[in-house]
Amino acid sequence: FLVRMSHEIRTPMNAIIGLSELARREYGKPKALEYITGIQSAGASLLAIINDILDFSRIESGRMDIAPFPYETASLLNDVLTIIRVRMTETPLELVTEIAPDTPRAMIGDANRIKQILLNLLSNAVKYTQRGFVRFSVSWERLEGDDIRLMFAVEDSGIGIRQEDLRRLFGEFTRIDEKRNINIEGTGLGLSIARSLSRAMGGDILVRSEYGRGSVFTATLMQAVADWKPMGNLAEVSVTRAETQSATFIAPEAEVLLVDDFPSNLLVAEGLLVPYRMRLSTCLNGRDAVERVRKQAFDLVLMDHMMPEMDGVEATRAIRAMDEGRCWTMPIIALTANAVSGMREMFLENGFNDYLSKPIDMRRLDAVLKEWIPADKRRAPEEDEPPGETAAMPESRLPEIAGLDAAVGMARIGGSPERYRNLLETFCRDAETGFALLGREPEESSLRAFTTLTHALKSALANIGARELSEVAAALEEAGREAEMSAIRERLEPFREKLVELVARIGEFLASTRSGESEGEFDPELAEALASLREALEAKDFDAMDTALARAQSRPMEGRMRDALTRIADFLLTAEFEKAAKTVRSLLE
């Protein structure tokens, strides 16, 4: 139950956190920025609770795995201190660090779990300290061979803990002195999880406290050393990170393929990748991704895990099985909303190089891109280059369509009118392809296809702002999964009628906007790329086709042009060269 709920909750959380990050970049009004920051904060808090409950579930079931990998000590400590400094910006507290400079430079352990322990202890210290200081100390002692005992101490001048409460401190769902701490949020799981993690790594957490005068929590862990060279002074070796979530580099020459079967997830991911200025291509399923990789070399592939027909794991296996050597070494990063223990190992075993958990965290995204995008294609952002601006959709231009909350749909894709119109056009095409399957009660042989379709429609309808129809699609999906034919019979026909009506109303709106548009100036570089693509199609030069299409897709453009290029790419994948050539000629004319 927890595993399934985690996946279902994380998918909309991806939109909440990702889109609020995009909106934060676009809005300049202080009050709007305050609201958006509040959304991010609430989303992050909810995600932390989800993670705590899931970790507790793993510990109770004996499935809490420790995944040891080499890590840079300074990088780990810097990440922890950067996060806690951000949390302390609105407090009068002083953060004091005492980190032994001879601490080994690199170790082997579960860096993410260590961060989880340290952030829990430091966050508690900040929460329960109103004035004074929080001191973070790191020391170590050598054991046998390459093993060491790593010791972290977190001391605060806070409210302290009564001696009679110390024995209950590490209990599950336990919060001590609740009357005094009524305004402090928490599940009462953090310390229990932190101690369990420490013990899983051969250590423990101990506490000393004096009521009213502060506490000292000491966490010990056993680690293997990968590089005995001293880490040195943390301030000298650490990479300075901006407190705002932003790109630390650009890569205009990097070719990246983004694969996800949900258009809204694609739009969120595309938006997060905009600051990196990479050449981005997209696919809506694993099978197309395999064909795209077969024809074009990419510097990085971001592959969604759960997709119909061919999922991300199957697609990655197919890519790794290709004859070309570049397909064996091409970095493939999994995108997953599944937080189940052991997922990292599963991805690595199936040919992935790494994974990103949804909701996508900008800092984690930046770190993954920095690790896998080739160094010769990365460079520092150009300071004198102004950031791009996205025009907001005036209220008068919001479509007034019965059954559709356009404001909700617009917000889901960052407020861009062109992206929203593009999403509406895509939705109409996708919905129309499903009308035939929805026109009759499914048989046993077609029940799986029916369930897959209603699952896709559930998300697609929610993405455009059709909440009520999305809820009906969700009920039909559940009925299909459980083979409840009576429930399907009851809901199917009314659902199909309302869906057809909605698609017709959206079509009328789209037609009216096309007829009222004036022609914009044509990008000469885009025109040149399209001309090259036309020549390549006439000569049946496949390499030249791919190169010209990639050049065209790298240019900035409005939604309908990008949609046309996506259709051309689909035609090339299915070897429908005449259709591709016809579309190119139409664009050039």
Side-chain angles (χ1 to χ4, degrees):
F1 170 76
L2 285 169
V3 168
R4 289 189 180 187
M5 287 305 299
S6 170
H7 179 80
E8 292 300 322
I9 294 171
R10 282 169 181 270
T11 296
M13 285 296 294
N14 182 42
I16 292 170
I17 293 179
L19 291 173
S20 62
E21 166 64 20
L22 300 182
R24 187 186 62 77
R25 295 178 191 168
E26 300 295 343
Y27 274 83
K29 296 179 180 178
K31 202 64 180 176
L33 188 60
E34 180 184 337
Y35 294 150
I36 294 166
T37 303
I39 293 171
Q40 281 190 305
S41 177
S45 297
L46 178 56
L47 187 62
I49 294 171
I50 296 167
N51 289 337
D52 278 354
I53 294 173
L54 199 62
D55 280 343
F56 178 65
S57 167
R58 293 171 182 154
I59 292 168
E60 272 205 327
S61 62
R63 295 180 179 178
M64 175 57 76
D65 297 327
I66 301 299
F69 288 91
Y71 65 87
E72 295 288 332
T73 311
S75 177
L76 181 151
L77 296 176
N78 185 72
D79 284 347
V80 169
L81 291 174
T82 298
I83 293 170
I84 206 64
R85 283 190 181 110
V86 172
R87 294 180 184 177
M88 292 176 69
T89 52
E90 297 182 1
T91 73
L93 301 178
E94 179 186 6
L95 178 63
V96 181
T97 58
E98 297 177 353
I99 301 171
D102 63 347
T103 303
R105 179 180 296 180
M107 303 190 209
I108 300 173
D110 194 329
N112 288 331
R113 291 304 185 186
I114 297 173
K115 290 178 190 177
Q116 187 175 352
I117 294 169
L118 298 181
L119 286 171
N120 183 275
L121 297 181
L122 285 164
S123 297
N124 278 348
V126 172
K127 282 195 297 185
Y128 293 102
T129 305
Q130 295 181 349
R131 62 182 65 87
F133 67 90
V134 172
R135 179 178 288 111
F136 177 60
S137 306
V138 181
S139 58
W140 63 283
E141 60 182 28
R142 187 163 187 170
L143 303 175
E144 295 182 2
D146 287 332
D147 293 335
I148 67 169
R149 178 180 288 110
L150 198 55
M151 293 167 283
F152 303 97
V154 177
E155 180 183 0
D156 65 65
S157 58
I159 62 176
I161 305 165
R162 293 189 179 95
Q163 294 303 305
E164 59 267 28
D165 287 331
L166 286 176
R167 59 185 177 82
R168 300 192 301 115
L169 190 61
F170 294 95
E172 297 89 358
F173 298 101
T174 299
R175 299 186 65 204
I176 60 172
D177 211 357
E178 288 205 63
K179 289 183 179 179
R180 187 181 187 189
N181 304 321
I182 191 169
N183 293 322
I184 297 177
E185 296 179 353
T187 59
L189 286 173
L191 282 176
S192 173
I193 292 169
R195 171 174 267 187
S196 295
L197 290 173
S198 298
R199 289 177 173 175
M201 287 184 265
D204 203 348
I205 296 181
L206 303 176
V207 58
R208 291 184 291 106
S209 185
E210 183 176 349
Y211 192 64
R213 303 195 63 177
S215 307
V216 181
F217 285 80
T218 303
T220 59
L221 310 170
M222 303 303 171
Q223 297 288 278
V225 176
D227 185 348
W228 281 99
K229 293 177 183 177
M231 178 186 71
N233 187 301
L234 183 63
E236 295 175 0
V237 299
S238 299
V239 177
T240 302
R241 286 174 169 81
E243 290 186 359
T244 56
Q245 298 178 344
S246 58
T248 59
F249 67 93
I250 58 173
E253 297 177 0
E255 298 282 354
V256 175
L257 178 63
L258 176 62
V259 188
D260 198 304
D261 64 312
F262 279 10
S264 61
N265 282 349
L266 274 180
L267 288 168
V268 169
E270 281 183 296
L272 292 175
L273 291 169
V274 163
Y276 298 93
R277 293 175 49 198
M278 298 180 291
R279 297 176 180 175
L280 189 63
S281 303
T282 60
C283 282
L284 286 167
N285 60 71
R287 201 175 305 281
D288 284 352
V290 173
E291 290 305 312
R292 189 71 65 88
V293 169
R294 192 189 307 278
K295 295 181 178 182
Q296 180 181 346
F298 289 96
D299 295 297
L300 183 70
V301 177
L302 298 171
M303 180 82 73
D304 187 37
H305 175 204
M306 299 181 69
M307 295 183 287
E309 295 185 27
M310 176 182 281
D311 66 22
V313 172
E314 294 169 327
T316 299
R317 286 176 182 165
I319 291 170
R320 297 302 190 209
M322 291 181 186
D323 294 335
E324 297 185 54
R326 64 177 175 80
C327 295
W328 308 338
T329 57
M330 181 190 307
I332 303 178
I333 310 301
L335 302 176
T336 179
N338 198 333
V340 181
S341 177
M343 289 303 291
R344 179 184 176 87
E345 291 76 10
M346 186 278 288
F347 286 129
L348 294 178
E349 289 171 1
N350 284 281
F352 290 91
N353 297 87
D354 205 339
Y355 82 104
L356 280 168
S357 179
K358 297 177 182 178
I360 297 174
D361 176 77
M362 190 64 186
R363 290 187 182 89
R364 172 71 176 141
L365 173 65
D366 189 78
V368 167
L369 294 176
K370 187 179 293 183
E371 180 174 0
W372 295 108
I373 294 292
D376 61 347
K377 294 191 176 181
R378 288 187 275 115
R379 57 187 173 88
E382 299 170 10
E383 295 182 1
D384 59 343
E385 182 175 343
E389 296 182 359
T390 300
M393 168 73 91
E395 287 295 325
S396 59
R397 293 182 60 191
L398 283 172
E400 295 182 4
I401 301 173
L404 187 69
D405 189 333
V408 170
M410 184 78 71
R412 283 181 181 250
I413 55 166
S416 165
E418 293 299 340
R419 281 177 178 266
Y420 184 53
R421 183 166 58 182
N422 186 38
L423 183 57
L424 289 176
E425 290 177 341
T426 304
F427 167 78
C428 288
R429 287 198 306 272
D430 292 344
E432 287 169 355
T433 60
F435 285 165
L437 187 56
L438 295 174
R440 59 184 181 279
E441 183 181 322
E443 300 174 356
E444 184 177 347
S445 60
S446 60
L447 196 57
R448 181 177 178 180
F450 173 84
T451 304
T452 302
L453 173 62
T454 50
H455 171 83
L457 285 171
K458 173 187 68 176
S459 298
L461 286 161
N463 287 334
I464 65 171
R467 182 179 59 83
E468 292 184 7
L469 269 183
S470 175
E471 292 174 354
V472 180
L476 283 168
E477 177 197 0
E478 182 64 23
R481 186 180 294 114
E482 301 297 329
E484 296 178 351
M485 303 309 296
S486 60
I488 293 175
R489 277 192 294 271
E490 178 184 346
R491 294 185 173 96
L492 181 56
E493 184 57 30
F495 171 75
R496 185 181 185 279
E497 289 178 359
K498 290 182 179 179
L499 182 63
V500 170
E501 291 172 1
L502 177 63
V503 169
R505 288 194 292 268
I506 293 173
E508 291 172 3
F509 163 75
L510 293 173
S512 67
T513 58
R514 290 191 198 101
S515 62
E517 289 175 342
S518 60
E519 295 184 7
E521 183 179 347
F522 205 39
D523 179 353
E525 292 191 32
L526 177 58
E528 182 181 339
L530 288 172
S532 298
L533 179 56
R534 179 180 60 189
E535 293 172 5
L537 284 163
E538 292 171 352
K540 294 294 191 293
D541 186 337
F542 301 115
D543 290 337
M545 289 180 201
D546 292 338
T547 301
L549 180 62
R551 280 180 56 203
Q553 290 176 324
S554 70
R555 300 298 302 163
M557 66 191 74
E558 49 83 25
R560 283 167 298 118
M561 176 65 75
R562 185 167 296 281
D563 188 45
L565 288 176
T566 299
R567 290 200 302 275
I568 292 169
D570 291 341
F571 290 145
L572 295 183
L573 284 172
T574 55
E576 296 177 276
F577 301 117
E578 185 52 44
K579 289 183 179 179
K582 183 178 180 181
T583 307
V584 172
R585 286 193 296 270
S586 175
L587 291 177
L588 285 170
E589 289 166 3

